[in-house]
Amino acid sequence: MSISLWRRDLPHYPDAGPRRFYLLLVVAITISLYYSLYAASGVTPLLLAGLHLPFRDFVFILAGGNLVGAFASLLAGLSDRFGRANLVVYGLLVVGVLVAFVMPNVTTGAQWALGFGAISFVEGIILVATPALIRDFSPQVGRATAMGFWTIGPVLGSLTVSLVTTLTLPVTRTWQSEYRICGAVGLAMFAIAFLFLRELAPALRDQLMVSERDRTLVEMRAKGLDIEAGLRNPWRQMLHADVIASAFGVSVLLLFYYTTVAFGLIYLVTVFRLSVGEANEVANWNWATNAAALILAGVLSDRLRVRKPFMILGGLGGLVFIALYLLQAGGHPSFARLAFLVCAQSLFVGFAYVTWMACFTETVEARNPALTATGLAIWGWLLRLVVTACFLALPFVVKAVNPLIEAPYYIAAYRHALAAHLAPGAALLAHLAAIKAAAEAAPGQWRSWFWICEAGIVVFLGTVFLMRGRWSPKAARADDAAHHAQVARELAALRDQPAE
């Protein structure tokens, strides 16, 4: 295979083997990217202490990064016209350099914020480009399974952070080392993507493909396809209620997920007094369960050829187990109980999300398959805007975190004073009083926030009814049979046409 710095188009739809290779490569790229984006989540208490960064400022930086990513997602809609693969390949290079060489060497919160903003910009683009590639290489029959593997990218990114931190932090003991390890992985993934990532030529990717049996028809149609016609007025074609409302619905469904990614470690450490290592072990169980759920739901959904029942089941299950989880705040649950509740909600929300991804791409294809990236850009934009609002609002709901993060320092100072037979100063006593008050207030504040996350799931459940797709497996199979009959008729007509 020849290597090109820019040209990556495949002129023919690939066979099953190469197609699966490209799908798995996109999944690996996604894991690597989210490992980079979430690198700080496994060492957040150390990072905040090392940079003297207040929790509220940290949250606002996360919000700013997501806002930058939101508008980067809109730019990624241009990949319908200019292609997806190069955005991904050279985006990986930028992220790898930033994580390996810039982030470990920052010394202030402002410097960390600039680096995180740059990483978030690239992530906003790749957030759209990678699922677009997954859609291009996966017919609708098999789409949920393919999206399941793509969706485990962010999840396995989080799991990778937890696992690597659990294994290496006891040895390295610095947050900077976690960035260096992550950067090395990211640069290795860039090299692999540079050598091997390809994409469908525009005339192939701009068509609807229900199953692999459509392959011959898609290639024959491609010879006379008017690509420019399908790309006219892209935003006007996509700005409809089924696209916009469903994208907003899944964004608020994921409020709890993004809270867990950004603040789950802080929540477990400050509310339940777990160590950083113990909190990462809970996270390991959470992300491993979520990854398994995504694949299982994708396979089952493709087998039954329906998406909506899985979305409803997942949303309802998420409601129940997130409620049970939030009720633990203020108590003394065992490690096993916390891990079980976290895993249960992760299982159900995973069912909802992966089948939504398949259903959303099919909803977009029903309007225009040539504008898949444009539809995904709307989703990426709304998702990032909702997460930005989430991060901006959280410090005003959960006000007790910062004193609790600083608690070990002031408690150590108090013990040192007692050991030296010195009277603690007034400022130290004031800090200790603030820590005690925060410890009492934190469980209730977190419960208030998690109820907001629950409301987001209710909104999501309402938007499911706007999307395309059947509720009944029998009706879905009848649609597939009708489609295959239509494909057979079109192929016969094309083959009967006289050669020019």
Side-chain angles (χ1 to χ4, degrees), residues 249-422:
V250 82
S251 300
V252 292
L253 166 75
L254 296 175
L255 280 176
F256 185 83
Y257 167 80
Y258 279 100
T259 299
T260 301
V261 168
F263 313 115
L265 194 76
I266 289 174
Y267 175 72
L268 292 169
V269 169
T270 58
V271 173
F272 298 112
R273 303 292 190 271
L274 299 185
S275 69
V276 172
E278 290 171 331
N280 273 300
E281 287 179 23
V282 173
N284 291 342
W285 283 101
N286 177 29
W287 303 128
T289 300
N290 194 240
L294 294 170
I295 301 303
L296 176 62
V299 171
L300 291 175
S301 177
D302 281 335
R303 186 174 292 266
L304 296 175
R305 291 294 293 128
V306 291
R307 320 297 191 198
K308 292 179 178 179
F310 290 91
M311 289 189 270
I312 296 296
L313 174 66
L316 292 175
L319 275 176
V320 171
F321 283 100
I322 290 173
L324 293 175
Y325 180 66
L326 68 87
L327 292 175
Q328 305 306 307
H332 302 283
S334 65
F335 179 93
R337 179 183 291 183
L338 284 175
F340 170 75
L341 292 174
V342 164
C343 290
Q345 66 78 26
S346 196
L347 175 79
F348 282 102
V349 173
F351 265 55
Y353 183 45
V354 68
T355 47
W356 180 90
M357 284 297 304
C359 191
F360 182 73
T361 56
E362 291 162 3
T363 298
V364 170
E365 285 177 329
R367 293 204 169 272
N368 186 346
L371 295 176
T372 298
T374 303
L376 287 167
I378 293 171
W379 158 68
W381 179 66
L382 283 171
L383 176 66
R384 286 293 172 260
L385 288 182
V386 167
V387 175
T388 299
C390 159
F391 289 167
L392 289 175
L394 188 137
F396 296 100
V397 179
V398 184
K399 302 176 183 178
V401 170
N402 209 59
L404 295 176
I405 289 177
E406 296 173 344
Y409 169 80
Y410 291 110
I411 292 172
Y414 176 74
R415 289 172 177 169
H416 178 76
L418 293 181
H421 304 290
L422 298 173

Side-chain angles (χ1 to χ4, degrees), residues 77 80 84 205-206 230-235 237-238 364 367-377:
D80 280 328
R84 298 87 146 95
R205 70 171 180 251
D206 288 358
L231 298 176
R232 293 189 188 115
N233 302 314
W235 300 111
Q237 293 190 56
M238 286 294 118
V364 170
R367 293 204 169 272
N368 186 346
L371 295 176
T372 298
T374 303
L376 287 167

Side-chain angles (χ1 to χ4, degrees), residues 232-247:
R232 293 189 188 115
N233 302 314
W235 300 111
R236 188 184 303 170
Q237 293 190 56
M238 286 294 118
L239 290 175
H240 293 275
D242 54 352
V243 174
I244 298 171
S246 56

Side-chain angles (χ1 to χ4, degrees), residues 419-449:
H421 304 290
L422 298 173
L428 177 56
L429 291 174
H431 281 296
L432 292 173
I435 291 167
K436 182 180 179 182
E440 294 173 352
Q445 292 175 3
W446 278 108
R447 276 196 299 267
S448 297
W449 179 255

Side-chain angles (χ1 to χ4, degrees), residues 6 9 77-86 199 205 231:
W6 196 254
D9 289 354
L78 295 173
S79 67
D80 280 328
R81 184 175 293 275
F82 300 111
R84 298 87 146 95
N86 284 310
E199 65 182 329
R205 70 171 180 251
L231 298 176

Side-chain angles (χ1 to χ4, degrees), residues 47-90:
L47 175 74
L48 299 187
L51 296 178
H52 304 289
L53 183 61
F55 176 73
R56 178 172 292 191
D57 292 353
F58 172 68
V59 176
F60 289 157
I61 291 169
L62 295 183
N66 275 275
L67 186 62
V68 168
F71 289 95
S73 293
L74 286 181
L75 288 177
L78 295 173
S79 67
D80 280 328
R81 184 175 293 275
F82 300 111
R84 298 87 146 95
N86 284 310
L87 292 176
V88 173
V89 170
Y90 294 106

